[in-house]
Amino acid sequence: MATKVASNIDLKMIRNIGFIAHIDAGKTTVSERVLFFTGMTHKIGDIDDGTTVMDFMDLERERGITIASAATSTSWKDHQINIIDTPGHVDFTAEVERSLRVLDGGVVIIDAVAGVQPQSETVWRQAERYSVPRMVFVNKMDRAGANFVKAVESLTRRLGANAVPIQIPIGAEAEFQGMIDLIEMKAWIYEEADAVEAVEAPIPDNLLADAEAFRANLVEKISETDEDLLMSYLSDEEIANDVLVDALRQATIDLKITPVLLGTALKHRGIQPLLDAVIAYLPSPLDVPAIEGVDPVSGEAMTRSASVDEPVSVLIFKVVSDQHVGRLIYIRVYSGILETGATLYNPRSRNRERIGRLLRMHADRREEITSAGPGEIVTVIGLKDARTGDTLAANTDRIVLESIDFPEPVLSVAVEPKTRSDQDKMDVALNRLADEDPTLRLSTDEETAQVVLAGMGELHLDVIVERMRREFNLDVNVGNPRVAYRETVGRVSEAQGRLVRQTGGHGQFGDCTLRLEPLGVGEGVQFESEITGSTLPREYYRPIEQGAREAAANGVLAGYPVTDVKIVLTDGSHHEVDSSEMAFNVAGSMAFKSAAQKAQMALLEPIMKLEVITPSEFLGDVLADLNSRRAQIQNMEGENETQVVNAFVPLAETFRYATDLRSRTTGRASFVMSLDHYDKAPRHIAEEVAGATN
């Protein structure tokens, strides 16, 4: 018997997908066409006109970019398709991260001219991390310079994808007329310039040889993923189309093949075949492995399968503050049936939460429902203490699902209200915005008492400040950006931390010795003990670790967090009466600080991966400017009159780069930038930063 969700839809008929890509590849345009062709909208939204459904924030419509992921639900050929349209700009990569955590499949959109771009690589790695099956839609086939074969090659070269076209184009650029379906070996042609429906036609004679060659490659690639098919292929047996489709579906779900389709969303071409492919090749909730979690008490591994018979388990992946209804909590239901009025347990807060109302979202419109089942993506109203990444589960069958990891902020600015009377208003605004955005961090500068906002980049922080003005009617003064440096140890060092304090009653005694060891880049802070026997009771290990980690949060060089260090507990002693967890916490902090003073601390600075696309005539000016910014040029690729420069450049040297690049190239060059790694800063930079913070 088929499993049904609460809305009486067969789970096999559900697709949870996201559109992910580099900025300006056309994600929102594809989303708008999908909504139109599936009957959800009766007029196609346009980014340039500011009439999009998925980009519904005023800021998004004005800037022409997606800032926050938007969710909607539609149907195609009796299938329910839950869609999340994600941002492409690197500053809003957290929106992609949390969306991919709850999606079953993804449609990666790439530009037919540019191919794979830097942010395409970022979202691809995110999808790999969550094992999300993908297909690729090569968009903008009508643009000058569109090259389908080159775009597919970039998928293999830059992403390592086993990219297999299941369509090839009929024409390109201004001559783009349609596509050839390599499974059915049929041509679909848009006969008029403004046609939105394709007409089936024979494959053009001049493309028949290409179509046969691409189909042979398709059949070979599919056969390599299935032993029975491989035997038939090697025996030159004819393989039926439905067998190929089933095998390709399984290969896509198993992450062995990435099907590639094409079109031009702006002119509505290729959207219906894309929807057909989503249904045919991307997984339903039943096709993906059971979600893994742990018992919140014992820590033992547990799983929940997509079944109405399992206990309820949901994951919160997004929080939005709505001026009309309060906190909107976006959830993915993984098992069981969630009903309005139900009470669930939150293992993080150890509180029970009541489901006030359930809503199915259509971008910024809401449809009230009474229940939701496995595989559904809905929103909840009424949760008081829930955060992004929290699990809600049945009180009698508790589970903690894997949470969501977000990147650390790399840039900060100090903000203060323009009038003293707005201080409380600013605190409320920032707390709401931080509640929504896990990559926005708030802190207070102890010296100036200013509130410090830390985020993912200049655009991210600029959007936050603008939202404060628009949504909360609040103007603030913004200080100069500050880079989120890190510190690390340069050599092995060891020191003792000893707290001996006598008071009127019991004293405080804690004694430990810590050794600090350098770790590789990106390994964070690790703690272990080498103590054997009964030298020190184990109950004091954790307070020592906590004290050391608290000290590591404020380094000795310039006050930045210490990372890539192993903290080893090597010795210690205790007093039967005077020792306490608090004493060993302080001793651990003292030992860490003392050892760090002897460890030749080094300053780490964030290094950005930069790709500049510039007309050849400005290449010299672009390179000279990059060299002045301490950039390391990695490679240059030229095609016709365009040059692409790839480089690593310290974040501290990138401020105002957009303005400077525009002025040097009369506005004709563009760039994209994302955090790549941390590296040791030159001595003069380290001394300058340390001097500014001391």
Side-chain angles (χ1 to χ4, degrees):
M1 178 179 171
T3 305
K4 303 282 187 178
V5 298
S7 52
N8 207 35
I9 298 175
D10 188 340
L11 273 177
K12 292 181 179 179
M13 310 296 278
I14 290 180
R15 300 291 182 272
N16 292 313
I17 67 167
F19 292 116
I20 53 178
H22 182 88
I23 190 170
D24 286 337
K27 296 178 304 304
T28 301
T29 304
V30 171
S31 300
E32 295 296 324
R33 272 57 183 177
V34 165
L35 294 181
F36 176 75
F37 285 117
T38 57
M40 280 302 298
T41 58
H42 302 291
K43 180 182 179 183
I44 297 176
D46 186 88
I47 292 174
D48 294 333
D49 294 341
T51 57
T52 54
V53 174
M54 300 300 273
D55 284 353
F56 54 84
M57 291 171 57
D58 290 341
L59 267 174
E60 293 177 312
R61 290 176 170 175
E62 289 175 16
R63 293 173 181 251
I65 62 172
T66 302
I67 292 172
S69 56
T72 191
S73 183
T74 188
S75 60
W76 180 254
K77 296 185 176 178
D78 298 324
H79 288 70
Q80 178 179 313
I81 305 178
N82 300 317
I83 299 170
I84 298 182
D85 176 34
T86 64
H89 197 285
V90 65
D91 280 20
F92 308 109
T93 188
E95 293 288 335
V96 184
E97 189 81 30
R98 58 178 161 198
S99 299
L100 286 171
R101 172 64 180 81
V102 298
L103 292 173
D104 298 327
V107 178
V108 180
I109 300 170
I110 66 171
D111 189 315
V113 180
V116 172
Q117 296 169 277
Q119 189 63 8
S120 308
E121 296 183 50
T122 302
V123 298
W124 191 270
R125 288 196 301 270
Q126 289 172 308
E128 287 280 313
R129 182 160 58 251
Y130 293 114
S131 299
V132 177
R134 278 141 280 160
M135 60 174 52
V136 172
F137 183 72
V138 179
N139 194 25
K140 303 185 181 182
M141 281 300 303
D142 59 326
R143 278 188 61 196
N147 188 320
F148 178 73
V149 172
K150 185 179 176 183
V152 174
E153 288 174 350
S154 73
L155 290 165
T156 303
R157 185 179 73 255
R158 298 189 63 170
L159 303 179
N162 187 15
V164 182
I166 60 175
Q167 298 174 343
I168 60 171
I170 300 174
E173 302 180 339
E175 302 300 318
F176 176 63
Q177 295 178 290
M179 63 284 297
I180 296 171
D181 181 337
L182 298 175
I183 297 284
E184 300 289 341
M185 286 300 279
K186 296 177 181 177
W188 294 95
I189 295 177
Y190 296 86
E191 295 180 321
E192 305 294 335
D194 58 350
V196 296
E197 297 286 346
V199 176
E200 183 181 337
I203 297 174
D205 292 340
N206 63 324
L207 292 175
L208 188 57
D210 285 344
E212 290 174 344
F214 272 96
R215 178 181 165 83
N217 173 69
L218 172 62
V219 174
E220 180 181 355
K221 291 286 190 180
I222 296 174
S223 299
E224 289 172 355
T225 67
D226 185 290
E227 287 188 12
D228 293 336
L229 276 186
L230 184 59
M231 295 301 295
S232 299
Y233 175 76
L234 294 176
S235 303
D236 290 329
E237 295 178 14
E238 187 69 26
I239 302 175
N241 289 346
D242 59 340
V243 175
L244 284 176
V245 169
D246 290 344
L248 179 55
R249 174 181 177 79
Q250 193 59 52
T252 303
I253 293 171
D254 293 341
L255 307 177
K256 295 178 180 178
I257 285 180
T258 304
V260 183
L261 300 92
L262 59 96
T264 172
L266 192 62
K267 294 185 177 177
H268 327 310
R269 299 182 176 183
I271 301 301
Q272 296 100 322
L274 174 63
L275 285 165
D276 290 340
V278 164
I279 290 170
Y281 305 119
L282 291 183
S284 74
L286 294 176
D287 295 317
V288 295
I291 189 71
E292 297 179 353
V294 297
D295 185 295
V297 177
S298 68
E300 293 182 6
M302 303 174 68
T303 60
R304 289 281 190 270
S305 60
S307 169
V308 296
D309 298 323
E310 291 262 6
V312 175
S313 64
V314 309
L315 182 74
I316 296 170
F317 69 95
K318 184 178 172 73
V319 177
V320 174
S321 295
D322 187 281
Q323 59 181 339
H324 301 295
V325 298
R327 296 177 85 221
L328 271 176
I329 311 292
Y330 284 72
I331 63 169
R332 160 76 187 259
V333 182
Y334 280 99
S335 61
I337 295 180
L338 181 65
E339 296 180 330
T340 302
T343 299
L344 300 181
Y345 180 74
N346 185 333
R348 177 194 57 79
S349 66
R350 299 181 180 178
N351 290 330
R352 292 180 177 86
E353 296 267 18
R354 184 178 181 277
I355 305 299
R357 295 165 61 195
L358 281 174
L359 305 171
R360 181 171 287 115
M361 298 301 294
H362 301 288
D364 61 339
R365 294 187 298 107
R366 298 179 282 271
E367 171 193 351
E368 189 139 0
I369 56 177
T370 57
S371 60
E376 298 237 53
I377 294 175
V378 296
T379 57
V380 178
I381 296 174
L383 305 183
K384 304 299 183 184
D385 191 35
R387 300 180 192 167
T388 298
D390 281 358
T391 299
L392 297 179
N395 188 47
T396 54
D397 293 278
R398 300 173 179 179
I399 187 174
V400 180
L401 303 178
E402 181 187 357
S403 191
I404 309 171
D405 293 325
F406 294 104
E408 289 294 315
V410 297
L411 201 65
S412 64
V413 294
V415 295
E416 60 183 15
K418 288 193 173 180
T419 61
R420 189 179 297 274
S421 61
D422 281 340
Q423 182 66 53
D424 291 342
K425 191 176 178 181
M426 187 183 80
D427 292 342
V428 170
L430 289 178
N431 284 323
R432 285 189 185 176
L433 292 170
D435 184 37
E436 290 186 18
D437 187 348
T439 59
L440 180 66
R441 308 287 172 82
L442 307 180
S443 61
T444 302
D445 189 305
E446 294 180 0
E447 294 183 6
T448 64
Q450 288 178 310
V451 175
V452 177
L453 296 184
M456 300 307 299
E458 287 185 279
L459 179 60
H460 182 204
L461 295 174
D462 181 40
V463 165
I464 292 296
V465 171
E466 183 64 17
R467 287 187 63 189
M468 290 170 65
R469 186 180 70 81
R470 294 182 182 218
E471 297 174 25
F472 299 92
N473 194 27
L474 179 68
D475 285 325
V476 296
N477 296 318
V478 182
N480 291 326
R482 292 183 59 198
V483 176
Y485 292 102
R486 299 284 186 269
E487 297 180 23
T488 192
V489 298
R491 68 178 183 186
V492 176
S493 66
E494 191 170 46
Q496 181 184 24
R498 184 177 173 86
L499 175 69
V500 181
R501 186 172 297 162
Q502 292 298 326
T503 58
H506 287 309
Q508 293 289 344
F509 181 88
D511 173 33
C512 66
T513 301
L514 299 178
R515 184 175 71 244
L516 306 186
E517 300 176 2
L519 289 177
V521 176
E523 294 192 48
V525 179
Q526 300 177 11
F527 181 90
E528 65 180 42
S529 172
E530 287 183 353
I531 293 179
T532 57
S534 58
T535 306
L536 189 69
R538 294 188 64 85
E539 65 193 76
Y540 296 129
Y541 289 10
R542 181 170 292 279
I544 292 171
E545 178 183 355
Q546 289 174 339
R549 288 184 179 274
E550 288 167 5
N554 297 283
V556 300
L557 190 65
Y560 290 101
V562 179
T563 189
D564 301 336
V565 58
K566 179 188 285 187
I567 306 169
V568 184
L569 175 61
T570 60
D571 198 6
S573 63
H574 73 290
H575 189 280
E576 291 292 344
V577 176
D578 292 347
S579 287
S580 66
E581 290 190 359
M582 184 179 72
F584 275 99
N585 182 288
V586 175
S589 176
M590 294 168 63
F592 181 91
K593 291 177 181 177
S594 182
Q597 294 284 357
K598 301 184 290 185
Q600 291 185 346
M601 300 298 291
L603 189 74
L604 300 176
E605 61 179 348
I607 305 297
M608 311 302 287
K609 184 177 183 180
L610 177 71
E611 180 177 275
V612 185
I613 304 170
T614 177
S616 298
E617 61 190 282
F618 300 113
L619 180 62
D621 288 339
V622 169
L623 292 177
D625 181 49
L626 288 176
N627 287 329
S628 73
R629 297 174 184 270
R630 297 192 287 128
Q632 296 178 345
I633 308 299
Q634 299 302 300
N635 59 65
M636 292 183 288
E637 299 176 359
E639 183 175 328
N640 300 326
E641 297 302 315
T642 301
Q643 295 286 332
V644 179
V645 181
N646 289 285
F648 289 133
V649 59
L651 173 64
E653 305 290 345
T654 64
F655 301 141
R656 291 187 54 79
Y657 184 64
T659 303
D660 291 348
L661 183 66
R662 280 197 296 268
S663 64
R664 288 175 183 273
T665 63
T666 64
R668 294 171 61 192
S670 62
F671 76 97
V672 287
M673 186 165 55
S674 59
L675 177 66
D676 190 83
H677 64 280
Y678 274 80
D679 203 358
K680 289 184 179 180
R683 177 176 295 179
H684 72 281
I685 298 293
E687 291 174 351
E688 182 181 314
V689 172
T693 55
N694 292 332

